[in-house]
Amino acid sequence: MVGLTSAAGLVGFLSEPDTELQIFALSKLNDEINSLWTEVAGSVGEIEALYEDEAFPERELAALVAAKVYYNLQEYNESMVFALGAGKLFNLDNEGEFEDTIISKCVDTYIALSAMFNPATPASTANQAPPQLTTAFPSTTNGATSTSAGLASPTTPFSQSTLPSRSLLSRQDSSATFDPSLPGGGNAGVPGAHPSPLILQRGIQKQLHTVIEQLFERCYKEGRYSQVVGIAIEARNLEKLRQAILRASNDQAKDTSVSREDSTDVGKDLMEYVLEICMGVVQERGLRNEILRLILDLLNDIPAPEYFSIAKCIVYLNESTMASDLLRRLVNKADPKSLAVAYQIAFDMYDNSTQEFLRKVRSNLPSAPPPASETAGISGIDRDNEPADASQSLLQDSNNTNDIVTSINGASEKLAPSSPEEQKAFDSIGEILQGTKTIELDLEFLYRNNHTDKNILNKIKDSLEARNSIFHTAVSLANAFMHAGTTNDRFFRDNLEWLGKAVNWSKFTATAALGVIHRGNLGQGQKLLEPYLPKDRIEGTNTGSAYSQGGSLYALGLIYANHEALALDLIRGHFKRATEEVVQHGGALGLGVAGMATGDQGIYEDLKNVLYADSALNGEAVGIAMGLIMLGTGNFQALEDMIQYAHETQHEKIVRGLALGMALIMYGRQETADELVNGLLDDPDPILRYGGIQTLALAYCGTGSNKAVRKLLHVAVSDVSDDVRRIAVMSLGFILFRKPNSVPRMVELLSESYNPHVRYGAAMALGISCAGTGLDEAIDLLEPMIKDPTDFVRQGALISLSMIMVQQNEAMNPKVGMIRKILQKAIGDRHEDAMTKFGSAVSLGIIDAGGRNCTISLQTQTGNLNMAGIVGMAVFTQYWYWFPLTHFLSLSFTPTSVIALDQDLEVPSFKFHSATRPSLFDYPPEQEAKVEDAPEKVKTAVLSTTAQAKRRAQKKEKQQRRESMDIDHTPTTPKVGINEDKMDTDESALKTDGEKPESAEKEAEDSKTTAAPEGLRKKMEKEKVGCELENMSRVLPAQLKFISFPDGRYEPVKKPTGGVILVIDNKPSESKNLMELKARKNTKPAAAPQTLQDRINDVYNLENNRSGAAGVEASGAVAGAGVLNAMDEDGEGAEEADVPREFDYHSDNEGEE
C-alpha cells in the first residue's frame, strides 16, 4: 500500500465535529507522522486541544501524535510531557529513535527532580559546626566579584555531563531555563533557583515514575542491574540503590538454571561496581559517606559477606572501632582462611590509613600488655592533650541501627584473647598495623632485586663539577633516588674524595640522602646514623658539622617515614635540645616526616615554639612540619595560629612554609576547605595565594572535581603573580591523576603559553598525573619542551619525562631509549645551563628509582589515595625554592612487587605464572661501560719539498720497474682540480689505527639505535608466551592482570593487586620451603667510631676483612661519617670577617666640574 503524500485532508478531519473522523485522522497521522510532520506542525494546537478535552475518548492517541510532532520539532521537553500523557500507547519495548530519546529524557528529568528534592548533605552536618575563620578572612564589603567565586557555586556529584557530547539532547534549549541534563538543574536543593519544570506544571509526576519503574523492571529482567544503580546514585535515591542491590542477590538465588560453579556472584560484582562508582565518580563527600554506610548495611545482611569491601568502606569512613571489631570477628572464627583474610585486611588497612587511625585500631584489639619495645617507642608522646579537632573523623554519625554497628557497640569494651592462638594472631595483626611487617618485606624485595646501573651514576658524577654546590646536590639526589630503599650506600664509600667536597647545605643534602637509601631499615636505622646525630657539646672537642647533624635528623625521619613508633621520640628530643638553626631545620623536617598525620598536639606545640622565634632559616621547615603533623585533620585552631603568624612575620620563607603547612592540614577535606581557599586566594600576598592553590589541590586531590579544575584554570590565566600561575597549572596534576588521559588535552594550549612559568607548570602537571604510565600523548607534549629557550622549563620537562617513563622498557615504550640518551647528553653538554643539568641528574635518578623496582604512584594498589605519595609529591614540587625538599619525592616511590605470605606470615618459596613474554616487562638493559678512547692522532704535516722528493722517488722507481718488465701499461690519467700548493698530510698512520671518519661513526650510531627495537622485536617473536616468576619478584602494575597461581598448593585470598598477598596453604601437612630474608641479615652496620682517625681506620679494616656484601653496604654510611662530620673549610662557627670599610667612588667627569 502506497503511503500518504499529503496530510492536508487528515488535518482537516481534526476540525470536524465527528469524533470518529478525528480518531481516524489521528490514527493515520500516528502511522505516517515521520514523513508528514511538517504539515501537521501548524495544527499541533488542535491536537493538544483534543488531548486536553476530557470527553474525547482517544486522548492518549492525541498525546502520542503531539509528542511525535514536538519530537521532530526538537522540542524534547514538550515531547516528553505528551509522551507520558499517552499512557500505555507509549511502548517502552519499541526500538526506535523516538522511544530511545523520550526514555533518555525521562531518565534525565527523573534524576533532576529527585536530586532537587534530595539536596546534597555536607559531610560535616553530622558533626558540630567547625569554627569559622572569619577573624582571619573578613568578607569583602565593596561588592566586587570575588576571585574565588567559582568555589562557592553548588556542585554536582559527577565529573561530566550525563549526556554524550554529540547527542541531540545535549543542545541548548532556549525555551526553558531548567536543564534536566544536570542533577537538580545544576542547583540541587536550592529553593527558587530555577522555575518549576513542565513535569511539575502539568502534574504528571505519577506517569513519570511509572515509566521509570517499567524501565527499572526491564533492566532487572535483562540483568542490567548496573544501569539501575547508576541512575539511583545520580538521583541521590538511596532507597532505589538498596532495592537494586537486594534484587540482584535475590534474583541470583532464585535462578536454578545455572549451577553455582558456573555462575558468577552478581551481588558481589554489583557491590564492587557501586564501590568503584562511589570512590571514583561521586565527588561530594557527604553523598559518598551515605552510600558507603548503605553498603555497610547491605554487606552485613549477606550470609557470606565480602570482607574486603567492608574494610574498604570502614577505612574511608574512618571508623576505627568497626575495623577492630571486623578483625576480631575474623580471628574468632579460628579457621585458616578467615585468619588469612584478617591478615590481608590488616595489610590493606596499613596501606590505606593514617597513623592515627591505625593506632586507634590497635588499641581496640584484644591483646595482652604491649611489648616493651612498643611501649618505649610511644611512651614519650603526649596523647592526652590531643584536641578533638585533630582526631576528628570524617563522619561520626551514630544513627545506624544495623547489626554490624550493634555488634561493634557490644564489643567496644576491650576483651582479652581466649587462647594462645588468638593472642598470637592479634599480636601479628598489631605488628602488621604498625607497619613493621610491610616495611620489612618491601626492604627485602628492594634489597634482593636491586638493578641499579652504577655506570650511569658514575657518569653523572664525572660529568658534573663536584665543587659546584648545585651539581654536588644533584649527584647526591640521583644516588639517593637510584638506591632508594635498597640499603646500598656503597657509592659514598667508593667516592670519599667527591663526598669531601660537600660544604654547608650540600653536606646537609648528602647526609639526608642516607635516609632515602635506608628508608624502611627500621632495625638498623638509628645505628647507621649514630655517627652523624647531634652530640652534647664539650669544650675542646669537635662535635661535627651542624649541617651533617641537621641532615641526619632529616634522614632519620625519612627512614621511619610515616612510622611513628620507633624514632619519633629520638628526633623530638634532639629537636628540643638543638640550638643551631640548621639542626632545628633538619629536626623539624624529620619530625614532620616520621610523625605524619599523627595529630600529636605535643609535637605541634614544640614546633610552634620554634616558629615564634622568627628565624627564616628554620621557620620554613617548621611550617611544613606543623602541616605534616596535623595532616588531613582539618584542625581549625592550628589554622588560626598559622594564618595569624603568616600575616605578622616579615620573612617570606616562613610565610611559604606556613602556606604549605595549611594546605597539608586540609588534605582530603574537600568542601570543608573552601572557606580557607577563598580567604587565601583573596589575600594580597602572592605567597598566601600560592598557598591557597596548594590547599585547593590537596583538598580535592584525586577527585577530578569540576569546580576545582575551573578555579585552577581561571587563576592560571588571570593572576598577576608568575608563581601563583605556575602552581595553578601544576595543581591540575593532583586533581586529575586518576584520569591521566584527560590531562594532556587540558594543558596542551598552556604548554605553548608565552609565559615560561605556565609552560613549566604544564610540564610538571603532566609528570604528576601521568607518572609511571608511559602515556604517549604526554610524551608528545613534553618532547618539544626539552628544547625550550628557558632553562627551568627544560628542567621541568626532563623531570616530568623521567616520572612518566619510570619502569618503562623499549618493549613497552620505544621512546624510553631516546629519552635516556637525551638525559645523559644534557649532563655531558658543557654548553647546557646548570639548572637543566640539575634536572637531568635528578631525572636519571627518578627513572631508575629504587634499583629499577619502584614506580611513582599517588594511589595505592587497591585504588585509594596514597597519602604519603601525594604529600611527598606536593612537598617535592617545592624544590623550586629549596633543594633539600627534593628528598620528599621518595615518599611517592612504590615497590612494584608480588610478595606472597602464608597464614603463618612466612615467605614460602614457590613460583607463580605470568602469561606474557619475559622481555615485555623485563628490566631495561644496563649501560655498557664505555672504554676511554685513545688520544686522537693529529695528521702529520708534510712539507712541499718533502712531497716533491717523494714524488720524484716514486716516479723514478716506477720507471725502473717499467724498464725491467716487458709488459704494456695503461697510461694513467692525471687528476684534475687538485691544488698542488696544498700541504699534504700523512694518512698512513690514521688508516693503520683503524679509526672511522666522523660521518661513519654517526651513521653507525644511528643504525645501532634503529636496530635496537628491531632486534628486541625479533627476540620477542622467538620467545615463548608465559614465564614462571619466583615469589618476591618484580611485577609491574600493567602485568598484574596476567598473574595467576597455577600451583595447587598456594591459593591467594583475593585477586592479586600487588604488594603483600596472603595465600592459603592447601597442603599444610607437607613440608614447605621458606625464603631466607637477606636484608635483615646483611645490613648490620659496624659500630660507629668516635674520632675521625678511628673512622678512617675502621673503613680500611672493613675493606680488608669484609666477607660479603653486608660489610660493603654497611661501610658506606660509616665511611661517609668521617667526611661529612668534618668542619667546613670556611670555619664553621668561627668569627665572621670584618665588614669592609666604606670607599669613595670617583667618576671620570668629576674633575671637570
Side-chain angles (χ1 to χ4, degrees), residues 1102-1113:
L1102 200 58
E1103 169 67 21
N1104 295 329
N1105 300 325
R1106 71 179 189 268
S1107 59
V1112 175
E1113 296 188 3

Side-chain angles (χ1 to χ4, degrees), residues 384-400:
D384 298 332
N385 296 329
E386 187 173 322
D389 292 333
S391 59
Q392 183 183 29
S393 60
L394 294 178
L395 203 62
Q396 296 291 342
D397 186 6
S398 59
N399 295 329
N400 293 331

Side-chain angles (χ1 to χ4, degrees), residues 402-658:
N402 54 65
D403 296 339
I404 188 169
V405 177
T406 304
S407 63
I408 289 168
N409 294 333
S412 59
E413 297 181 0
K414 194 169 182 179
L415 303 175
S418 59
S419 65
E421 291 77 13
E422 285 191 8
Q423 177 63 57
K424 180 181 178 182
F426 286 124
D427 290 343
S428 299
I429 291 176
E431 182 183 5
I432 295 171
L433 293 175
Q434 200 171 21
T436 53
K437 197 67 179 177
T438 301
I439 295 172
E440 179 186 13
L441 293 172
D442 286 342
L443 183 73
E444 176 69 23
F445 163 73
L446 294 174
Y447 178 84
R448 280 174 171 268
N449 299 278
N450 184 12
H451 281 72
T452 302
D453 191 348
K454 60 182 180 181
N455 295 323
I456 298 177
L457 189 56
N458 289 331
K459 183 177 180 181
I460 298 174
K461 177 183 71 68
D462 296 337
S463 301
L464 301 179
E465 174 56 44
R467 290 198 176 275
N468 190 327
S469 179
I470 184 176
F471 291 156
H472 196 286
T473 300
V475 178
S476 298
L477 294 171
N479 174 43
F481 290 158
M482 284 186 181
H483 295 97
T486 64
T487 71
N488 184 355
D489 53 14
R490 183 174 180 177
F491 179 78
F492 281 165
R493 177 191 164 277
D494 293 342
N495 299 277
L496 290 177
E497 182 181 356
W498 165 86
L499 192 62
K501 296 179 181 179
V503 293
N504 298 339
W505 289 106
S506 59
K507 182 178 291 187
F508 179 94
T509 306
T511 309
L514 290 171
V516 178
I517 295 172
H518 289 276
R519 184 189 173 196
N521 194 358
L522 304 181
Q524 306 296 338
Q526 296 183 24
K527 292 182 180 179
L528 283 165
L529 294 175
E530 187 175 351
Y532 302 87
L533 293 175
K535 301 176 181 60
D536 295 334
R537 183 177 295 275
I538 302 175
E539 294 185 5
T541 61
N542 176 18
T543 57
S545 170
Y547 292 94
S548 64
Q549 293 175 2
S552 66
L553 294 178
Y554 186 14
L556 199 60
L558 290 170
I559 291 177
Y560 298 92
N562 201 20
H563 187 80
E564 60 172 325
L566 298 177
L568 199 58
D569 283 346
L570 177 63
I571 303 173
R572 184 179 178 184
H574 284 297
F575 175 75
K576 294 172 69 174
R577 292 191 298 270
T579 56
E580 294 89 350
E581 293 180 341
V582 178
V583 179
Q584 290 177 336
H585 182 96
L589 292 177
L591 273 177
V593 178
M596 188 185 303
T598 57
D600 191 288
Q601 186 67 20
I603 298 177
Y604 172 79
E605 292 295 332
D606 292 340
L607 293 168
K608 188 168 68 171
N609 293 335
V610 176
L611 174 71
Y612 287 163
D614 203 40
S615 169
L617 185 59
N618 55 31
E620 182 176 17
V622 168
I624 296 174
M626 293 167 69
L628 288 171
I629 294 296
M630 294 294 177
L631 178 64
T633 61
N635 190 319
F636 276 79
Q637 182 58 49
L639 290 173
E640 289 282 1
D641 297 338
M642 297 168 77
I643 294 169
Q644 182 179 0
Y645 195 76
H647 285 130
E648 292 176 357
T649 184
Q650 300 297 318
H651 297 292
E652 290 186 358
K653 290 176 68 68
I654 295 179
V655 178
R656 186 175 296 113
L658 291 173

Side-chain angles (χ1 to χ4, degrees), residues 782-796:
L782 289 170
E783 280 180 334
M785 303 176 76
I786 299 174
K787 302 177 182 179
D788 195 276
T790 308
D791 53 358
F792 61 79
V793 177
R794 296 196 298 272
Q795 180 193 78

Side-chain angles (χ1 to χ4, degrees), residues 459 820-830 832 840:
K459 183 177 180 181
R820 286 180 176 272
K821 289 182 179 180
I822 291 174
L823 294 175
Q824 296 182 21
K825 181 181 178 182
I827 288 180
D829 188 356
R830 65 182 60 184
E832 190 59 85
S840 300

Side-chain angles (χ1 to χ4, degrees), residues 293-366:
R293 290 195 173 278
L294 171 63
I295 294 174
L296 276 178
D297 292 349
L298 297 175
L299 288 172
N300 187 52
D301 296 335
I302 298 176
E306 174 58 32
Y307 291 110
F308 296 111
S309 299
I310 293 176
K312 195 171 184 179
C313 297
I314 288 174
V315 167
Y316 183 82
L317 292 171
N318 204 21
E319 293 287 354
S320 58
T321 311
M322 288 186 181
S324 57
D325 181 71
L326 176 63
L327 295 171
R328 181 184 58 80
R329 286 193 295 164
L330 286 170
V331 172
N332 290 340
K333 289 188 175 182
D335 62 283
K337 183 174 182 180
S338 298
L339 185 60
V341 170
Y343 288 156
Q344 185 67 66
I345 289 176
F347 278 111
D348 293 344
M349 283 183 179
Y350 174 75
D351 290 336
N352 297 284
S353 307
T354 65
Q355 294 189 62
E356 182 186 18
F357 177 84
L358 295 172
R359 186 172 64 242
K360 291 179 180 179
V361 175
R362 292 199 308 269
S363 65
N364 291 330
L365 287 176

